[in-house]
Amino acid sequence: MNARVPALVLLILVALSSAALAEDASSVALTVYNDGDAIVRETRTIDVPAGIGEVRFEDVAATIDPTTVKFRSLTDPEGTAVIEQNYEYDLVSADKLLEKYLGQKVEIVTQDGATFTGMLMSFDQRQLVIQESGNVLRIIGRPDNVKNITCIGLPEGLIIKPTLMWLLQSAAGGSQSVEVAYGAGGCGWRADYTAVLNDDDTALDLSGWVTLTNNSGKTYDDASLKLMAGEVHRADIGFGGGRGGALELSEMKRAQAAFQEKSFAEYHLYTLPRRTTIKDRQIKQIELLSAASVPVKKEYLFDPLRDLSPYWSGPMMDENFSVGEKGKTQVFIIFKNDKASNLGMPLPAGRMRLFKMDAGDMEFVGEDNIEHTPKDEKLELLMGNAFDIAGERTRTNFVSGRGARWMEEFFEIKVRNHKDQPITVNAREHLFRWVNWKLTSWNHDYEKLDAQTIQFPITNWSPSASARPRRKLASAISNT
């Protein structure tokens, strides 16, 4: 009586419904989107009653959106149609089954082998109450004491797996091949990239992998797989394929690409040229691309004002505003997604990890996220902050005019190189005071990036040297 069992065992003798059953799927196709949704397409052979009859289409995704279901008979597309649909998802569980069997006959076997038969009157997590012959009520403790509960038949309204119940109208009836499509949640994918830099940081080897997650409540056996990359507002689950933009296959020089890419409508579609099985509650990884010797450029950026609030949210005439700033120098790896760089394939959004070899060991040196990147566009990966480059920005003088209609500021930017080789650092300056400004003196050449940003490229910088761009900025502040 005191022995414990890990779970309650229900022995059920199931009485099948008289509705026709759809046979096992003969083919399945899956299109997965970035946002966690998927389109499932299945082709099955079912037995269709002549006239009007009911068909049970089982083994659909538990996360199905029943409002998206599309049905088409491939055998008799003009004569067979769904006139009513119900989605049944009240799945069998121990307590649901017992709830359905209130007032019905059950047989209970306890751990000591005793058997009790009677009408189930009530139950909870602690006990069951049955009425035996002679109107005798017996209370049986749960869960330690109960070994088996036997129920005869499956009560109406309970099903074993999510099921679509169709009322079909067909003049011909008989065995028909049908195609069914529906939307489902719980599926998603992302791209994960691994980039290995060479010794002098001038090139990298890039590999991309698709990480596919299936939490839809269904296993897709031997399925054809497509991945849709892009920000889709509304998905079209119509039948057939090939509609949309013109074919634009990747021109990567590779013996056999894992995915075949093409433009589709305003997005990009990646098709796996082989079938694969995607199990429920599984994370699957499939190679997306591979490219060797991609030319890269390393850039250093000293930008101590990058997190400073813009002029319209700060005190424009406050002379104590941004007196001095220290900052770290960021390191970027930059390359172009084009054919000349051994790439040229639209890259889905994802995380790119950077590695570098050290005596045969691959060491992690940084990572960054990339957005959906079309071919021929540039990628800038933030590798991290440079250890051996120190910098500071100091205001050396400040003058403002009467009535606070103008001001003049003097700044000095110091960046020190403690590396063993020359480097180039871009010292960036944000002109945050107001939109009207001009430089009146400077000791380094600069380039204007936009209306309120300039940059001093400090090139051919010797090791252990200190570069000091100085500038005198005159800003006109309007009170209107």
Side-chain angles (χ1 to χ4, degrees):
M1 296 293 292
N2 294 327
R4 300 185 65 89
V5 292
L8 174 67
V9 178
L10 293 179
L11 303 179
I12 308 169
L13 301 180
V14 180
L16 294 177
S17 167
S18 59
L21 290 174
E23 298 180 7
D24 293 338
S26 58
S27 69
V28 60
L30 191 66
T31 301
V32 185
Y33 294 76
N34 292 127
D35 58 4
D37 290 331
I39 302 300
V40 182
R41 293 179 176 84
E42 295 189 51
T43 302
R44 301 190 194 181
T45 301
I46 65 174
D47 187 15
V48 178
I52 297 178
E54 191 176 63
V55 172
R56 185 166 63 210
F57 193 85
E58 294 182 337
D59 196 25
V60 296
T63 56
I64 184 177
D65 179 356
T67 65
T68 64
V69 175
K70 302 293 182 182
F71 171 94
R72 184 176 68 171
S73 172
L74 301 178
T75 304
D76 184 22
E78 301 298 328
T80 301
V82 176
I83 59 175
E84 185 177 308
Q85 173 181 284
N86 297 297
Y87 174 51
E88 307 288 349
Y89 54 91
D90 191 13
L91 303 183
V92 171
S93 68
D95 284 346
K96 281 186 179 180
L97 190 59
L98 290 176
E99 183 179 339
K100 292 288 186 179
Y101 264 86
L102 289 173
Q104 303 294 322
K105 185 178 180 180
V106 297
E107 180 182 271
I108 300 172
V109 179
T110 58
Q111 293 292 338
D112 61 359
T115 301
F116 303 94
T117 303
M119 182 185 298
L120 181 63
M121 305 298 294
S122 68
F123 72 94
D124 55 33
Q125 295 299 317
R126 299 179 59 187
Q127 59 192 17
L128 301 104
V129 180
I130 63 172
Q131 182 182 36
E132 298 180 307
S133 60
N135 293 328
V136 175
L137 294 179
R138 183 178 295 276
I139 301 175
I140 304 172
R142 296 176 71 191
D144 298 347
N145 188 39
V146 175
K147 182 178 181 181
N148 293 332
I149 300 177
T150 303
C151 305
I152 309 301
L154 184 65
E156 183 179 355
L158 279 178
I159 57 176
I160 299 175
K161 59 184 69 175
T163 301
L164 291 171
M165 300 292 294
W166 292 322
L167 193 62
L168 293 182
Q169 183 174 25
S170 176
S175 179
Q176 295 188 18
S177 176
V178 300
E179 188 176 43
V180 178
Y182 57 84
C187 289
W189 72 278
R190 70 174 190 271
D192 288 292
Y193 302 92
T194 298
V196 182
L197 291 164
N198 63 1
D199 291 340
D200 56 2
D201 298 333
T202 59
L204 59 78
D205 294 335
L206 180 65
S207 63
W209 291 79
V210 166
T211 300
L212 180 66
T213 303
N214 178 21
N215 290 309
S216 67
K218 174 179 170 62
T219 293
Y220 305 94
D221 290 312
D222 197 29
S224 62
L225 175 63
K226 295 181 181 180
L227 308 175
M228 186 75 77
E231 299 176 4
V232 179
H233 177 64
R234 180 175 297 177
D236 176 16
I237 64 169
F239 298 100
R243 296 181 298 168
L247 188 65
E248 187 180 343
L249 295 177
S250 168
E251 297 185 18
M252 289 182 55
K253 295 185 181 300
R254 179 167 170 77
Q256 182 178 2
F259 279 87
Q260 296 174 352
E261 177 274 333
K262 68 177 181 180
S263 61
F264 183 79
E266 296 302 322
Y267 318 108
H268 281 273
L269 196 63
Y270 299 81
T271 302
L272 189 66
R274 58 180 175 82
R275 291 184 172 271
T276 184
T277 294
I278 307 164
K279 296 181 179 179
D280 185 33
R281 301 185 182 276
Q282 181 185 64
I283 297 177
K284 177 185 286 289
Q285 288 192 299
I286 306 172
E287 187 181 22
L288 175 66
L289 62 91
S290 179
S293 301
V294 178
V296 302
K297 180 182 179 182
K298 180 189 283 188
E299 288 192 1
Y300 297 90
L301 175 64
F302 179 69
D303 187 9
L305 300 183
R306 60 179 171 268
D307 296 325
L308 194 67
S309 299
Y311 66 91
W312 55 83
S313 62
M316 292 179 294
M317 298 300 295
D318 184 359
E319 62 182 88
N320 296 314
F321 189 46
S322 183
V323 174
E325 302 287 342
K326 290 186 177 181
K328 298 181 179 180
T329 299
Q330 296 177 311
V331 186
F332 290 87
I333 299 296
I334 301 172
F335 61 94
K336 195 170 183 180
N337 180 25
D338 60 5
K339 182 179 179 181
S341 301
N342 298 326
L343 288 171
M345 175 182 184
L347 301 178
R351 179 170 54 180
M352 189 170 292
R353 296 177 176 88
L354 293 168
F355 294 86
K356 196 166 182 176
M357 301 303 296
D358 176 47
D361 297 324
M362 193 167 69
E363 302 292 350
F364 173 73
V365 293
E367 69 180 13
D368 201 3
N369 291 319
I370 68 170
E371 301 296 329
H372 294 305
T373 305
K375 65 184 182 71
D376 299 327
E377 289 293 319
K378 184 172 67 174
L379 289 96
E380 295 187 2
L381 306 177
L382 176 58
M383 182 175 172
N385 295 321
F387 189 100
D388 295 320
I389 302 174
E392 59 190 46
R393 173 187 180 273
T394 304
R395 190 175 67 189
T396 59
N397 198 15
F398 177 88
V399 180
S400 62
R402 180 177 298 178
R405 297 185 63 85
W406 62 270
M407 67 174 59
E408 193 174 55
E409 296 178 288
F410 300 80
F411 293 91
E412 182 181 62
I413 301 173
K414 296 181 181 179
V415 185
R416 294 177 291 277
N417 176 22
H418 298 280
K419 299 173 72 68
D420 295 331
Q421 67 273 356
I423 60 172
T424 297
V425 173
N426 291 318
R428 187 166 295 176
E429 178 72 8
H430 297 269
L431 309 173
F432 54 86
R433 289 291 190 179
W434 195 243
V435 292
N436 299 323
W437 58 270
K438 66 178 180 178
L439 292 185
T440 58
S441 66
W442 57 94
N443 67 343
H444 272 273
D445 291 336
Y446 72 92
E447 54 184 338
K448 184 177 178 181
L449 302 182
D450 56 43
Q452 288 193 275
T453 309
I454 60 175
Q455 183 168 280
F456 297 90
I458 308 170
T459 59
N460 299 321
W461 187 14
S462 301
S464 302
S466 176
R468 302 185 181 186
R470 297 180 178 87
R471 69 175 178 86
K472 178 181 177 182
L473 170 66
S475 299
I477 305 297
S478 173
N479 289 327
T480 58

